[in-house]
Amino acid sequence: MQPFTIAIDGPAAAGKGTISKAVATHFDLAHLDTGLLYRAVGARMLTGEDPIAAAHALVAEDLGTPALRTAETAQAASKVAVIPEVRAALLDFQRAFARRSGGAVLDGRDIGTVICPQAEVKLFVTASAEVRAQRRFEELRDRGYDTEFATVLAEVKARDDRDMNRSDAPLRPAEDAVVVDTSDLTIAQAVAQTVDVIEAARQRRPR
Ligand code: DC
């Protein structure tokens, strides 16, 4: 089968990860959460490593540690993601993954704009900062973390600001991306809407 690449971008905690996993399962495609690459580099930086060297030295085992999910690592990921040499070191792996035979779903910040501008489907999944912070707050609370909503909101906004205003590959929708605002949608509704957009693109595809 010809590669069929689905690019899903958007800000932190908009629902990209959940939607991407559901879409990958629905269409039986491989899935890459590209945020994990930046989190793995961020985690290595927090142990004192140079982020550029860390980006060149990443191995599969780096992507599986629970520490990648902490708020501290998320901020570190957003900081190393500003460095052009870090982004460049991670580019080939992501592009090769995107064009694997059969196709793939990649989620991140710059998939539709930089990594795969030729992706067959581009989605930009977003939601208001307050809704995203509320979701993240509840998730952290359920996992037993003692935190305040105001702290989580401030972290979400700090990450948005860094991700959207960096000069290399800033977070923004590709011109031909379909925007899905999940602020007032349930997970099931957001997944259904996304699947419809992808199904329509598959139908239009030359055979
Ligand atoms: O999706 P995430 O929250 O796991 O991403 C963590 C950070 O990594 C995010 O704040 C910015 C960076 N990132 C990026 O710059 N480009 C991507 N394609 C994915 C993530």
Side-chain angles (χ1 to χ4, degrees), residues 87-200:
R87 307 199 70 83
L90 302 176
L91 192 77
D92 287 348
F93 173 73
Q94 294 176 82
R95 286 203 174 139
F97 192 97
R99 298 318 272 173
R100 63 203 276 151
S101 88
V105 181
L106 282 82
D107 72 275
R109 302 289 187 291
D110 63 339
I111 309 303
T113 50
V114 174
I115 306 295
C116 296
Q118 81 286 29
E120 281 70 21
V121 187
K122 296 176 199 167
L123 289 145
F124 192 82
V125 177
T126 188
S128 72
E130 286 70 22
V131 166
R132 290 184 285 122
Q134 184 63 33
R135 287 179 188 155
R136 186 51 55 88
F137 173 62
E138 286 169 15
E139 182 192 322
L140 289 169
R141 211 186 39 197
D142 291 349
R143 277 162 46 196
Y145 288 98
D146 181 22
T147 184
E148 302 282 325
F149 173 74
T151 310
V152 179
L153 180 61
E155 282 174 358
V156 161
K157 287 185 169 170
R159 213 135 66 90
D160 282 358
D161 185 49
R162 221 181 281 117
D163 295 349
M164 289 172 181
N165 294 314
R166 64 182 177 224
S167 53
D168 191 14
L171 169 66
R172 59 177 173 78
E175 271 176 26
D176 50 351
V178 176
V179 177
V180 177
D181 188 326
T182 66
S183 302
D184 299 316
L185 300 181
T186 62
I187 292 174
Q189 287 170 329
V191 169
Q193 201 168 310
T194 314
V195 165
D196 284 351
V197 171
I198 298 166
E199 195 52 60

